[in-house]
Amino acid sequence: MHEDNDHRVDGNAAAGILREVFASDVTTARVVCGHCTAGTSVAETKTYLAGPGSILRCPGCDAILARITKIRDTVWLDLSGSASWQIHTG
Amino acid sequence: MSATERAEGAAKTESSGPASRRGPIRWLPARLRAARMETRLARTLVLDVPGWSGHAPGQHVDVRLTAEDGYTAQRSYSVASPSAQDQVELTVQRVQGGEVSTYLTEIMLPGDQLEIRGPLGGWFQWTARIRGPVLLVGGGSGVVPLMAMLRERVRSDSSSPFRLIYSARTPDHIIYTSELHQMGQTHPDIQISRLYTRSGLPDDTREPGRLRIEDLPPPGNEITEGPSRVYVCGPTGFVEHAARLLVDRGYRSSDIRTERFGS
């Protein structure tokens, strides 16, 4: 949170941009890494905020789980590094 | 922390309440009603936000500033106040060279406007519905969302014991100093521990220094009920150090919730 946006934070800091895309909060979602198959909450991912994009990495193996880039009115979402997202909708 | 858990474990979530509100998220205009300095660097902003329908303690907001020439800057700040309609309090600590925090702590005047969106984040939150003892571990301005939890604990009918371990550089860097003192004095179930990394008070028995394992209370066992939930917030380095110590102390990583900010 707060400033120093080039430094590593965690997935809590991506809650706002993710909330633009998803209908509910996904920081509590469980994401499975496509590389090492470990599961973690989105809140606990290693998150890098830089310029127009955010990168979420696996806290276990550092593989990229998600790239979220916003350019004007368009969000570009690349989830190819993750195997699945388990999202609580209740 | 939980990266080592396997994928089969179901995600634990606190559903219902403001965090699970659905539908598109909107920017809301917010006007500064009042402000107060908490330390030399930290300022609390009391914002009137028409249309704000409350939040859960621990949640944060995105703040957007727009200059006259259209330039915008956006940051995230934790909410310091317990849930309220149409009003939000943020405590912002000035970061050296930080354009947004410098504006918020030194330049913004009552009546000035900005935009906020939220509440954000369903992971790092506590509500009075969560039963059991709570341990809060904060580094620097990481105390802000923990203060929202403490204030909610005091305001609600919760009887959960709370313990705050608050690490700051010196006594002058302690935010909410008198309110924390009063909470500790008036609520037998709330225990406040301050520790200093650079220099402390003359009668401190603890040598100044970063958080150590003996600064942390032991987790509960079959006989004594220990914290069932631990919240850690601070700079990334502090949070990872604290989380490692907590696991070494015997806490389960699945009971530890963390929130990191930069530097």
Side-chain angles (χ1 to χ4, degrees):
Chain A
M1 325 258 84
H2 306 248
E3 287 185 300
D4 294 327
N5 278 356
D6 292 339
H7 293 102
R8 174 163 67 85
V9 288
D10 60 35
N12 294 298
I17 180 74
L18 289 167
R19 194 62 184 70
E20 290 186 39
V21 180
F22 292 93
S24 56
D25 173 64
V26 292
T27 58
T28 57
R30 191 165 186 82
V31 56
V32 174
C33 177
H35 180 68
C36 74
T37 74
T40 186
S41 74
V42 169
E44 301 281 19
T45 60
K46 293 180 173 180
T47 298
Y48 300 81
L49 308 175
S54 302
I55 292 176
L56 275 54
R57 288 181 179 270
C58 174
C61 78
D62 246 11
I64 292 177
L65 300 170
R67 288 189 188 89
I68 309 145
T69 309
K70 184 171 186 185
I71 298 168
R72 288 182 291 277
D73 294 338
T74 302
V75 175
W76 184 70
L77 189 60
D78 173 3
L79 304 179
S80 59
S82 53
S84 68
W85 289 55
Q86 179 188 338
I87 300 169
H88 186 72
T89 57
Chain B
M1 299 295 318
S2 48
T4 50
E5 294 170 42
R6 307 312 292 180
E8 297 82 55
K12 277 197 281 182
T13 55
E14 274 87 51
S15 59
S16 77
S20 62
R21 187 173 300 120
R22 306 181 75 183
I25 188 166
R26 295 183 299 133
W27 287 101
L28 296 171
R31 183 181 297 273
L32 186 63
R33 171 200 286 265
R36 56 182 181 270
M37 293 306 291
E38 302 279 0
T39 67
R40 202 166 52 78
L41 296 176
R43 186 190 198 200
T44 292
L45 308 173
V46 182
L47 297 164
D48 286 328
V49 191
W52 182 263
S53 49
H55 61 277
Q59 290 194 293
H60 66 273
V61 297
D62 286 345
V63 169
R64 182 165 73 181
L65 302 178
T66 304
E68 281 173 21
D69 64 2
Y71 170 77
T72 64
Q74 188 179 319
R75 298 288 185 275
S76 299
Y77 293 102
S78 294
V79 180
S81 48
S83 185
Q85 300 282 318
D86 301 325
Q87 190 165 298
V88 171
E89 282 186 33
L90 310 178
T91 302
V92 178
Q93 185 159 285
R94 181 161 59 81
V95 176
Q96 194 154 21
E99 58 180 2
V100 175
S101 66
T102 300
Y103 173 77
L104 295 176
T105 55
E106 296 190 345
I107 299 168
M108 191 180 194
L109 294 171
D112 288 347
Q113 286 203 66
L114 45 70
E115 291 171 290
I116 72 170
R117 68 175 181 187
L120 297 169
W123 173 258
F124 196 82
Q125 60 165 266
W126 178 85
T127 69
R129 288 192 306 275
I130 301 173
R131 300 289 169 197
V134 173
L135 174 63
L136 309 173
V137 183
S141 60
V143 75
V144 175
L146 309 180
M147 190 61 175
M149 298 178 189
L150 278 165
R151 286 169 166 164
E152 179 68 18
R153 161 65 182 79
V154 168
R155 189 179 73 159
S156 70
D157 59 0
S158 167
S159 56
S160 299
F162 267 57
R163 171 92 185 261
L164 170 67
I165 312 284
Y166 181 4
S167 169
R169 280 183 204 173
T170 73
D172 287 344
H173 289 82
I174 294 280
I175 305 173
Y176 314 124
T177 187
S178 56
E179 189 177 347
L180 286 172
H181 178 75
Q182 196 182 1
M183 275 182 187
Q185 294 291 311
T186 54
H187 296 273
D189 285 343
I190 297 179
Q191 199 180 341
I192 310 289
S193 305
R194 300 164 190 79
L195 56 94
Y196 306 109
T197 57
R198 296 255 178 96
S199 62
L201 297 163
D203 58 347
D204 278 350
T205 52
R206 181 187 181 277
E207 277 292 302
R210 73 192 305 212
L211 188 71
R212 302 176 193 121
I213 196 161
E214 59 268 26
D215 296 323
L216 300 168
N221 55 37
E222 295 78 13
I223 301 155
T224 59
E225 194 185 12
S228 56
R229 179 64 75 81
V230 185
Y231 296 91
V232 186
C233 186
T236 299
F238 173 85
V239 169
E240 303 206 337
H241 174 66
R244 271 194 302 272
L245 291 182
L246 284 160
V247 170
D248 290 347
R249 195 81 169 98
Y251 288 87
R252 287 184 304 184
S253 58
S254 57
D255 291 336
I256 304 169
R257 296 208 171 188
T258 55
E259 182 168 88
R260 298 158 176 84
F261 53 83
S263 81

